[in-house]
Amino acid sequence: MNDESLLSQSLQDNHVVDITVEELQGWIEAKDVVLVDVREEEEYSLEHIEESSVHCLSSFEPSNVPLDDKKKLVFYCRSGRRSCLAGHHFVTSFPDKTVYNLKGGIL
């Protein structure tokens, strides 16, 4: 399956839910979120959301993503495309989980 197919499937997947910046901000303030940046290390080093960890899509391994069953798991990137793909990869490995994608990324 190529990236376009995965992206299309992700958009229809109930386990990958798009969220807004405002929703994310509320979760961050409530300390109710695990943030995963799926951009490349170079991008992450230039700017990132505080408290996030980097797990590059180019070498993404779902089992390496930090989990906390009491918090929401949010993937983000520059525009929302890579994080949506990472979310789909993640729920393929962990089908009982729901993850969140920052719609529009951090542009």
Side-chain angles (χ1 to χ4, degrees):
M1 193 175 284
N2 65 31
D3 283 353
E4 289 302 321
S5 297
L6 286 173
L7 186 58
S8 176
Q9 186 173 349
S10 293
L11 295 173
Q12 300 170 13
D13 191 336
N14 294 343
H15 296 285
V16 180
V17 179
D18 282 344
I19 62 165
T20 64
V21 170
E22 294 79 17
E23 288 173 295
L24 178 58
Q25 185 62 40
W27 295 350
I28 290 171
E29 290 171 5
K31 300 190 183 309
D32 189 29
V33 64
V34 174
L35 290 165
V36 178
D37 188 326
V38 299
R39 298 174 302 152
E40 295 302 310
E41 294 276 351
E42 300 81 34
E43 294 172 281
Y44 182 83
S45 68
L46 293 174
E47 67 176 339
H48 60 273
I49 300 174
E50 195 173 321
E51 309 272 334
S52 65
S53 60
V54 63
H55 295 270
C56 306
L57 182 61
S58 61
S59 58
F60 189 75
E61 180 56 52
S63 62
N64 291 336
V65 172
L67 292 175
D68 182 335
D69 288 335
K70 296 179 182 176
K71 296 183 179 184
K72 295 169 180 73
L73 179 59
V74 176
F75 292 99
Y76 77 91
C77 65
R78 187 181 65 85
S79 68
R81 176 185 160 91
R82 287 177 283 178
S83 52
C84 189
L85 290 169
H88 178 74
H89 285 299
F90 184 85
V91 298
T92 298
S93 296
F94 296 94
D96 61 322
K97 301 287 185 189
T98 296
V99 301
Y100 301 89
N101 173 55
L102 182 58
K103 186 176 182 175
I106 60 169
L107 277 178

